[in-house]
Amino acid sequence: MLQRLNHVALAVPDLEAATATYRAMLGARVSAPQPLPDHGVTVVFVELENTKIELLEPLGENSPLAAFLAKNPKGGMHHLCYEVDDIAAARDRLVASGARVLGDGEPKIGAHGKPVLFLHPGDVHGTLTELEQV
Amino acid sequence: MLQRLNHVALAVPDLEAATATYRAMLGARVSAPQPLPDHGVTVVFVELENTKIELLEPLGENSPLAAFLAKNPKGGMHHLCYEVDDIAAARDRLVASGARVLGDGEPKIGAHGKPVLFLHPGDVHGTLTELEQV
């Protein structure tokens, strides 16, 4: 079911400072910031040879990152996103295994314009896990 | 400087249970467990198309995972490892930027038999960051 690792998402309190760290200190190729108000984040992509890191800063009220950054004020590793070829089949398999899909249990259109779902971290050994149909 | 994402390391309290989750629930290709007593972990590799996830369980006393799992008893995302082509040059660049290399500041032979170093998470916006020369 799991195919490629689409991205690793890191929550950061200050996207400008994080961009400078990845660009200048770590010598990575880093995109311009992209505000995604529907998702409550501004994102910067760190483009690696085989996958990408998404640096996420809260945007607006009710950002899904607010609680995480309140607990981890310096930032930290937020979630992993794996690609699947059929998200409805993935959802059915997960639910049959007893896993909890966050929200109403149905895939949604994610930040890349593709169907995604998030699994409860308690069902994946503490790691918030996103699946994206590519 | 950063090239490929070599792996994402996830700490888990029960490697057998985590292996079952990734193999059966998530349908991933998962290796047999490999004890690495010199590194204080037993590792299972989740092999994706473009990178790998390392599931790490503490092994022996003084495991480097003990403090993490005491704080995160269900497990969680532990570190990211990026490939670089010259770890000594990477170390020099990082130190010149004011970043702290853990331990005595010199690269060590890591769990894959290659030179690695770890950056203090406080210098990378809360993410424990490993560099490996491949």
Side-chain angles (χ1 to χ4, degrees), chain A residues 1-5 17-18 21-22 24-27 48-50 53 74-77 80 82 93 124-126, chain B residues 1-5 17-18 21-22 24-27 48-50 53 74-77 80 82 93 123-126:
Chain A
M1 194 160 83
L2 301 187
Q3 298 180 330
R4 295 176 76 259
L5 181 70
T21 297
Y22 281 84
M25 185 176 101
L26 292 168
L48 303 169
E49 290 179 6
N50 58 336
I53 308 297
K74 290 179 179 173
M77 300 173 74
L80 294 183
Y82 302 99
R93 175 176 179 150
V124 201
H125 309 282
Chain B
M1 196 160 80
L2 301 187
Q3 299 179 331
R4 296 177 75 259
L5 181 69
T21 297
Y22 281 83
M25 186 176 98
L26 292 168
L48 303 169
E49 290 179 7
N50 58 336
I53 308 297
K74 290 179 179 174
M77 299 173 76
L80 294 183
Y82 302 99
R93 177 177 179 150
D123 296 335
V124 202
H125 310 282

Side-chain angles (χ1 to χ4, degrees), chain A residues 58-83:
Chain A
L59 176 63
E61 293 172 22
N62 305 316
S63 171
L65 300 181
F68 181 90
L69 285 170
K71 264 201 281 191
N72 304 277
K74 290 179 179 173
M77 300 173 74
H78 189 263
H79 69 265
L80 294 183
C81 176
Y82 302 99
E83 298 177 0

Side-chain angles (χ1 to χ4, degrees), chain B residues 118-130:
Chain B
F118 281 90
L119 287 169
H120 192 297
D123 296 335
V124 202
H125 310 282
T127 294
L128 178 60
T129 301
E130 181 180 16

Side-chain angles (χ1 to χ4, degrees), chain B residues 7-133:
Chain B
H7 63 267
V8 181
L10 308 180
V12 299
D14 179 342
L15 195 53
E16 193 177 332
T19 296
T21 297
Y22 281 83
R23 186 176 283 147
M25 186 176 98
L26 292 168
R29 197 153 57 105
V30 180
S31 78
Q34 299 183 22
L36 300 171
D38 290 351
H39 295 276
V41 299
T42 301
V43 60
V44 154
F45 299 98
V46 178
E47 288 154 15
L48 303 169
E49 290 179 7
N50 58 336
T51 189
K52 60 187 184 290
I53 308 297
E54 295 189 5
L55 305 175
L56 303 177
E57 181 188 65
L59 175 64
E61 294 173 19
N62 307 316
S63 171
L65 299 180
F68 181 91
L69 285 171
K71 262 200 283 189
N72 305 277
K74 290 179 179 174
M77 299 173 76
H78 188 264
H79 69 263
L80 294 183
C81 177
Y82 302 99
E83 298 177 1
V84 297
D85 60 6
D86 182 338
I87 199 138
R91 186 260 332 267
D92 291 346
R93 177 177 179 150
L94 292 163
V95 170
S97 303
R100 289 163 288 176
V101 173
L102 297 186
D104 64 6
E106 290 303 312
K108 296 285 177 294
I109 298 302
H112 308 139
K114 297 187 174 160
V116 304
L117 61 78
F118 281 90
L119 287 169
H120 192 297
D123 296 335
V124 202
H125 310 282
T127 294
L128 178 60
T129 301
E130 181 180 16
L131 302 183
E132 178 173 317
Q133 179 177 306

